PDB file of all heavy atoms in Angstrom:
ATOM      1  N   SER A  17      56.978-146.545 -21.267  1.00  0.00           N
ATOM      2  CA  SER A  17      58.080-146.397 -22.196  1.00  0.00           C
ATOM      3  C   SER A  17      59.026-145.247 -21.742  1.00  0.00           C
ATOM      4  O   SER A  17      60.082-145.076 -22.281  1.00  0.00           O
ATOM      5  CB  SER A  17      57.570-146.036 -23.615  1.00  0.00           C
ATOM      6  OG  SER A  17      56.829-144.853 -23.610  1.00  0.00           O
ATOM      7  N   SER A  18      58.588-144.534 -20.732  1.00  0.00           N
ATOM      8  CA  SER A  18      59.405-143.516 -20.084  1.00  0.00           C
ATOM      9  C   SER A  18      58.764-143.306 -18.727  1.00  0.00           C
ATOM     10  O   SER A  18      57.776-143.899 -18.374  1.00  0.00           O
ATOM     11  CB  SER A  18      59.435-142.196 -20.871  1.00  0.00           C
ATOM     12  OG  SER A  18      58.165-141.541 -20.798  1.00  0.00           O
ATOM     13  N   GLN A  19      59.354-142.412 -17.933  1.00  0.00           N
ATOM     14  CA  GLN A  19      58.888-142.188 -16.563  1.00  0.00           C
ATOM     15  C   GLN A  19      57.419-141.704 -16.570  1.00  0.00           C
ATOM     16  O   GLN A  19      56.687-141.991 -15.626  1.00  0.00           O
ATOM     17  CB  GLN A  19      59.798-141.224 -15.866  1.00  0.00           C
ATOM     18  CG  GLN A  19      59.617-141.171 -14.387  1.00  0.00           C
ATOM     19  CD  GLN A  19      60.679-140.336 -13.713  1.00  0.00           C
ATOM     20  OE1 GLN A  19      61.257-139.467 -14.308  1.00  0.00           O
ATOM     21  NE2 GLN A  19      60.943-140.670 -12.453  1.00  0.00           N
ATOM     22  N   ARG A  20      56.994-141.028 -17.626  1.00  0.00           N
ATOM     23  CA  ARG A  20      55.651-140.416 -17.636  1.00  0.00           C
ATOM     24  C   ARG A  20      54.772-140.964 -18.777  1.00  0.00           C
ATOM     25  O   ARG A  20      53.618-140.526 -18.869  1.00  0.00           O
ATOM     26  CB  ARG A  20      55.750-138.923 -17.781  1.00  0.00           C
ATOM     27  CG  ARG A  20      56.376-138.282 -16.603  1.00  0.00           C
ATOM     28  CD  ARG A  20      56.377-136.803 -16.793  1.00  0.00           C
ATOM     29  NE  ARG A  20      57.006-136.163 -15.646  1.00  0.00           N
ATOM     30  CZ  ARG A  20      57.224-134.902 -15.504  1.00  0.00           C
ATOM     31  NH1 ARG A  20      56.822-134.073 -16.434  1.00  0.00           N
ATOM     32  NH2 ARG A  20      57.812-134.409 -14.438  1.00  0.00           N
ATOM     33  N   THR A  21      55.249-141.858 -19.599  1.00  0.00           N
ATOM     34  CA  THR A  21      54.485-142.268 -20.766  1.00  0.00           C
ATOM     35  C   THR A  21      54.101-143.729 -20.667  1.00  0.00           C
ATOM     36  O   THR A  21      54.958-144.599 -20.568  1.00  0.00           O
ATOM     37  CB  THR A  21      55.296-142.007 -22.062  1.00  0.00           C
ATOM     38  OG1 THR A  21      55.651-140.669 -22.128  1.00  0.00           O
ATOM     39  CG2 THR A  21      54.436-142.408 -23.298  1.00  0.00           C
ATOM     40  N   VAL A  22      52.791-143.998 -20.698  1.00  0.00           N
ATOM     41  CA  VAL A  22      52.282-145.354 -20.710  1.00  0.00           C
ATOM     42  C   VAL A  22      52.159-145.814 -22.158  1.00  0.00           C
ATOM     43  O   VAL A  22      51.380-145.282 -22.910  1.00  0.00           O
ATOM     44  CB  VAL A  22      50.924-145.447 -20.003  1.00  0.00           C
ATOM     45  CG1 VAL A  22      50.358-146.850 -20.087  1.00  0.00           C
ATOM     46  CG2 VAL A  22      51.023-144.977 -18.557  1.00  0.00           C
ATOM     47  N   ALA A  23      52.961-146.776 -22.567  1.00  0.00           N
ATOM     48  CA  ALA A  23      52.939-147.287 -23.958  1.00  0.00           C
ATOM     49  C   ALA A  23      51.810-148.291 -24.130  1.00  0.00           C
ATOM     50  O   ALA A  23      51.246-148.399 -25.220  1.00  0.00           O
ATOM     51  CB  ALA A  23      54.283-147.921 -24.297  1.00  0.00           C
ATOM     52  N   ALA A  24      51.486-149.027 -23.102  1.00  0.00           N
ATOM     53  CA  ALA A  24      50.406-150.046 -23.153  1.00  0.00           C
ATOM     54  C   ALA A  24      49.978-150.357 -21.727  1.00  0.00           C
ATOM     55  O   ALA A  24      50.653-149.917 -20.754  1.00  0.00           O
ATOM     56  CB  ALA A  24      50.901-151.318 -23.831  1.00  0.00           C
ATOM     57  N   THR A  25      48.894-151.064 -21.593  1.00  0.00           N
ATOM     58  CA  THR A  25      48.395-151.492 -20.311  1.00  0.00           C
ATOM     59  C   THR A  25      47.951-152.949 -20.399  1.00  0.00           C
ATOM     60  O   THR A  25      47.269-153.314 -21.335  1.00  0.00           O
ATOM     61  CB  THR A  25      47.188-150.622 -19.828  1.00  0.00           C
ATOM     62  OG1 THR A  25      47.600-149.262 -19.807  1.00  0.00           O
ATOM     63  CG2 THR A  25      46.723-151.026 -18.448  1.00  0.00           C
ATOM     64  N   THR A  26      48.371-153.761 -19.422  1.00  0.00           N
ATOM     65  CA  THR A  26      47.895-155.128 -19.336  1.00  0.00           C
ATOM     66  C   THR A  26      46.740-155.176 -18.385  1.00  0.00           C
ATOM     67  O   THR A  26      46.848-154.775 -17.224  1.00  0.00           O
ATOM     68  CB  THR A  26      49.025-156.068 -18.883  1.00  0.00           C
ATOM     69  OG1 THR A  26      50.102-155.992 -19.814  1.00  0.00           O
ATOM     70  CG2 THR A  26      48.535-157.514 -18.783  1.00  0.00           C
ATOM     71  N   TYR A  27      45.602-155.650 -18.877  1.00  0.00           N
ATOM     72  CA  TYR A  27      44.364-155.774 -18.076  1.00  0.00           C
ATOM     73  C   TYR A  27      44.138-157.244 -17.708  1.00  0.00           C
ATOM     74  O   TYR A  27      44.328-158.129 -18.551  1.00  0.00           O
ATOM     75  CB  TYR A  27      43.169-155.273 -18.860  1.00  0.00           C
ATOM     76  CG  TYR A  27      43.210-153.783 -19.106  1.00  0.00           C
ATOM     77  CD1 TYR A  27      43.771-153.277 -20.292  1.00  0.00           C
ATOM     78  CD2 TYR A  27      42.756-152.886 -18.166  1.00  0.00           C
ATOM     79  CE1 TYR A  27      43.832-151.933 -20.543  1.00  0.00           C
ATOM     80  CE2 TYR A  27      42.817-151.524 -18.394  1.00  0.00           C
ATOM     81  CZ  TYR A  27      43.358-151.061 -19.579  1.00  0.00           C
ATOM     82  OH  TYR A  27      43.425-149.726 -19.811  1.00  0.00           O
ATOM     83  N   VAL A  28      43.750-157.480 -16.490  1.00  0.00           N
ATOM     84  CA  VAL A  28      43.387-158.815 -16.012  1.00  0.00           C
ATOM     85  C   VAL A  28      41.943-158.796 -15.613  1.00  0.00           C
ATOM     86  O   VAL A  28      41.534-158.014 -14.780  1.00  0.00           O
ATOM     87  CB  VAL A  28      44.284-159.277 -14.857  1.00  0.00           C
ATOM     88  CG1 VAL A  28      43.928-160.678 -14.428  1.00  0.00           C
ATOM     89  CG2 VAL A  28      45.768-159.188 -15.230  1.00  0.00           C
ATOM     90  N   ALA A  29      41.152-159.695 -16.234  1.00  0.00           N
ATOM     91  CA  ALA A  29      39.705-159.735 -16.002  1.00  0.00           C
ATOM     92  C   ALA A  29      39.331-161.157 -15.568  1.00  0.00           C
ATOM     93  O   ALA A  29      40.058-162.116 -15.793  1.00  0.00           O
ATOM     94  CB  ALA A  29      38.979-159.371 -17.260  1.00  0.00           C
ATOM     95  N   TYR A  30      38.179-161.271 -14.916  1.00  0.00           N
ATOM     96  CA  TYR A  30      37.714-162.575 -14.439  1.00  0.00           C
ATOM     97  C   TYR A  30      36.252-162.777 -14.813  1.00  0.00           C
ATOM     98  O   TYR A  30      35.451-161.843 -14.767  1.00  0.00           O
ATOM     99  CB  TYR A  30      37.870-162.648 -12.908  1.00  0.00           C
ATOM    100  CG  TYR A  30      37.402-163.968 -12.366  1.00  0.00           C
ATOM    101  CD1 TYR A  30      38.157-165.108 -12.540  1.00  0.00           C
ATOM    102  CD2 TYR A  30      36.208-164.071 -11.647  1.00  0.00           C
ATOM    103  CE1 TYR A  30      37.739-166.341 -12.041  1.00  0.00           C
ATOM    104  CE2 TYR A  30      35.783-165.304 -11.150  1.00  0.00           C
ATOM    105  CZ  TYR A  30      36.550-166.433 -11.351  1.00  0.00           C
ATOM    106  OH  TYR A  30      36.132-167.651 -10.884  1.00  0.00           O
ATOM    107  N   SER A  31      35.894-164.026 -15.166  1.00  0.00           N
ATOM    108  CA  SER A  31      34.495-164.392 -15.368  1.00  0.00           C
ATOM    109  C   SER A  31      34.112-165.424 -14.360  1.00  0.00           C
ATOM    110  O   SER A  31      34.657-166.538 -14.327  1.00  0.00           O
ATOM    111  CB  SER A  31      34.336-164.996 -16.793  1.00  0.00           C
ATOM    112  OG  SER A  31      33.085-165.615 -16.915  1.00  0.00           O
ATOM    113  N   SER A  32      33.146-165.087 -13.513  1.00  0.00           N
ATOM    114  CA  SER A  32      32.697-166.029 -12.523  1.00  0.00           C
ATOM    115  C   SER A  32      31.920-167.182 -13.174  1.00  0.00           C
ATOM    116  O   SER A  32      31.913-168.339 -12.697  1.00  0.00           O
ATOM    117  CB  SER A  32      31.827-165.357 -11.460  1.00  0.00           C
ATOM    118  OG  SER A  32      30.733-164.717 -12.059  1.00  0.00           O
ATOM    119  N   ALA A  33      31.274-166.943 -14.324  1.00  0.00           N
ATOM    120  CA  ALA A  33      30.552-167.995 -15.020  1.00  0.00           C
ATOM    121  C   ALA A  33      31.524-169.034 -15.595  1.00  0.00           C
ATOM    122  O   ALA A  33      31.271-170.242 -15.535  1.00  0.00           O
ATOM    123  CB  ALA A  33      29.710-167.381 -16.116  1.00  0.00           C
ATOM    124  N   ASP A  34      32.641-168.553 -16.151  1.00  0.00           N
ATOM    125  CA  ASP A  34      33.622-169.474 -16.748  1.00  0.00           C
ATOM    126  C   ASP A  34      34.675-169.940 -15.770  1.00  0.00           C
ATOM    127  O   ASP A  34      35.451-170.854 -16.048  1.00  0.00           O
ATOM    128  CB  ASP A  34      34.309-168.789 -17.931  1.00  0.00           C
ATOM    129  CG  ASP A  34      33.385-168.462 -19.089  1.00  0.00           C
ATOM    130  OD1 ASP A  34      32.331-169.083 -19.169  1.00  0.00           O
ATOM    131  OD2 ASP A  34      33.740-167.575 -19.899  1.00  0.00           O
ATOM    132  N   ARG A  35      34.751-169.251 -14.607  1.00  0.00           N
ATOM    133  CA  ARG A  35      35.779-169.510 -13.583  1.00  0.00           C
ATOM    134  C   ARG A  35      37.189-169.457 -14.219  1.00  0.00           C
ATOM    135  O   ARG A  35      38.009-170.338 -14.030  1.00  0.00           O
ATOM    136  CB  ARG A  35      35.518-170.865 -12.889  1.00  0.00           C
ATOM    137  CG  ARG A  35      34.251-170.865 -12.053  1.00  0.00           C
ATOM    138  CD  ARG A  35      34.015-172.138 -11.262  1.00  0.00           C
ATOM    139  NE  ARG A  35      35.135-172.577 -10.453  1.00  0.00           N
ATOM    140  CZ  ARG A  35      35.449-172.141  -9.224  1.00  0.00           C
ATOM    141  NH1 ARG A  35      34.698-171.188  -8.690  1.00  0.00           N
ATOM    142  NH2 ARG A  35      36.467-172.620  -8.583  1.00  0.00           N
ATOM    143  N   GLN A  36      37.366-168.400 -15.005  1.00  0.00           N
ATOM    144  CA  GLN A  36      38.643-168.215 -15.687  1.00  0.00           C
ATOM    145  C   GLN A  36      39.102-166.768 -15.583  1.00  0.00           C
ATOM    146  O   GLN A  36      38.296-165.821 -15.553  1.00  0.00           O
ATOM    147  CB  GLN A  36      38.522-168.518 -17.203  1.00  0.00           C
ATOM    148  CG  GLN A  36      38.517-169.949 -17.574  1.00  0.00           C
ATOM    149  CD  GLN A  36      38.675-170.154 -19.066  1.00  0.00           C
ATOM    150  OE1 GLN A  36      38.211-169.342 -19.845  1.00  0.00           O
ATOM    151  NE2 GLN A  36      39.329-171.214 -19.445  1.00  0.00           N
ATOM    152  N   TRP A  37      40.429-166.601 -15.505  1.00  0.00           N
ATOM    153  CA  TRP A  37      41.065-165.305 -15.599  1.00  0.00           C
ATOM    154  C   TRP A  37      41.427-165.087 -17.064  1.00  0.00           C
ATOM    155  O   TRP A  37      41.704-166.032 -17.803  1.00  0.00           O
ATOM    156  CB  TRP A  37      42.339-165.288 -14.746  1.00  0.00           C
ATOM    157  CG  TRP A  37      42.044-165.236 -13.293  1.00  0.00           C
ATOM    158  CD1 TRP A  37      42.109-166.300 -12.417  1.00  0.00           C
ATOM    159  CD2 TRP A  37      41.646-164.132 -12.524  1.00  0.00           C
ATOM    160  NE1 TRP A  37      41.738-165.912 -11.169  1.00  0.00           N
ATOM    161  CE2 TRP A  37      41.444-164.570 -11.173  1.00  0.00           C
ATOM    162  CE3 TRP A  37      41.370-162.786 -12.803  1.00  0.00           C
ATOM    163  CZ2 TRP A  37      41.040-163.724 -10.169  1.00  0.00           C
ATOM    164  CZ3 TRP A  37      40.969-161.950 -11.812  1.00  0.00           C
ATOM    165  CH2 TRP A  37      40.817-162.426 -10.477  1.00  0.00           C
ATOM    166  N   CYS A  38      41.511-163.853 -17.454  1.00  0.00           N
ATOM    167  CA  CYS A  38      41.884-163.446 -18.810  1.00  0.00           C
ATOM    168  C   CYS A  38      42.808-162.255 -18.724  1.00  0.00           C
ATOM    169  O   CYS A  38      42.675-161.416 -17.838  1.00  0.00           O
ATOM    170  CB  CYS A  38      40.600-163.082 -19.591  1.00  0.00           C
ATOM    171  SG  CYS A  38      40.950-162.388 -21.219  1.00  0.00           S
ATOM    172  N   ALA A  39      43.759-162.193 -19.664  1.00  0.00           N
ATOM    173  CA  ALA A  39      44.639-160.988 -19.735  1.00  0.00           C
ATOM    174  C   ALA A  39      44.793-160.547 -21.171  1.00  0.00           C
ATOM    175  O   ALA A  39      44.758-161.389 -22.085  1.00  0.00           O
ATOM    176  CB  ALA A  39      45.992-161.315 -19.107  1.00  0.00           C
ATOM    177  N   VAL A  40      44.921-159.256 -21.310  1.00  0.00           N
ATOM    178  CA  VAL A  40      45.138-158.650 -22.648  1.00  0.00           C
ATOM    179  C   VAL A  40      46.013-157.433 -22.449  1.00  0.00           C
ATOM    180  O   VAL A  40      45.839-156.698 -21.469  1.00  0.00           O
ATOM    181  CB  VAL A  40      43.790-158.295 -23.316  1.00  0.00           C
ATOM    182  CG1 VAL A  40      42.967-157.349 -22.505  1.00  0.00           C
ATOM    183  CG2 VAL A  40      44.010-157.780 -24.732  1.00  0.00           C
ATOM    184  N   THR A  41      46.985-157.198 -23.343  1.00  0.00           N
ATOM    185  CA  THR A  41      47.810-155.990 -23.288  1.00  0.00           C
ATOM    186  C   THR A  41      47.335-155.098 -24.427  1.00  0.00           C
ATOM    187  O   THR A  41      47.354-155.483 -25.598  1.00  0.00           O
ATOM    188  CB  THR A  41      49.299-156.347 -23.486  1.00  0.00           C
ATOM    189  OG1 THR A  41      49.742-157.167 -22.382  1.00  0.00           O
ATOM    190  CG2 THR A  41      50.175-155.073 -23.516  1.00  0.00           C
ATOM    191  N   VAL A  42      46.893-153.888 -24.038  1.00  0.00           N
ATOM    192  CA  VAL A  42      46.290-152.952 -24.997  1.00  0.00           C
ATOM    193  C   VAL A  42      47.264-151.743 -25.159  1.00  0.00           C
ATOM    194  O   VAL A  42      47.655-151.117 -24.191  1.00  0.00           O
ATOM    195  CB  VAL A  42      44.910-152.447 -24.487  1.00  0.00           C
ATOM    196  CG1 VAL A  42      44.313-151.460 -25.452  1.00  0.00           C
ATOM    197  CG2 VAL A  42      43.991-153.630 -24.243  1.00  0.00           C
TER     198      VAL A  42
END
C-alpha cells in the first residue's frame, strides 16, 4: 500500500496428493 507497507500477501500453495495449486490473499 506504500513503498514500505505490506497491506496483504498472496500465497500460492501446492498439494501433491490433489495435484492442485491453491492461492489465497491474506
Side-chain angles (χ1 to χ4, degrees):
S17 62
S18 72
Q19 196 170 25
R20 295 184 181 177
T21 305
V22 177
T25 302
T26 300
Y27 294 93
V28 182
Y30 181 72
S31 168
S32 56
D34 295 339
R35 295 184 50 83
Q36 283 191 326
W37 289 100
C38 172
V40 59
T41 297
V42 180

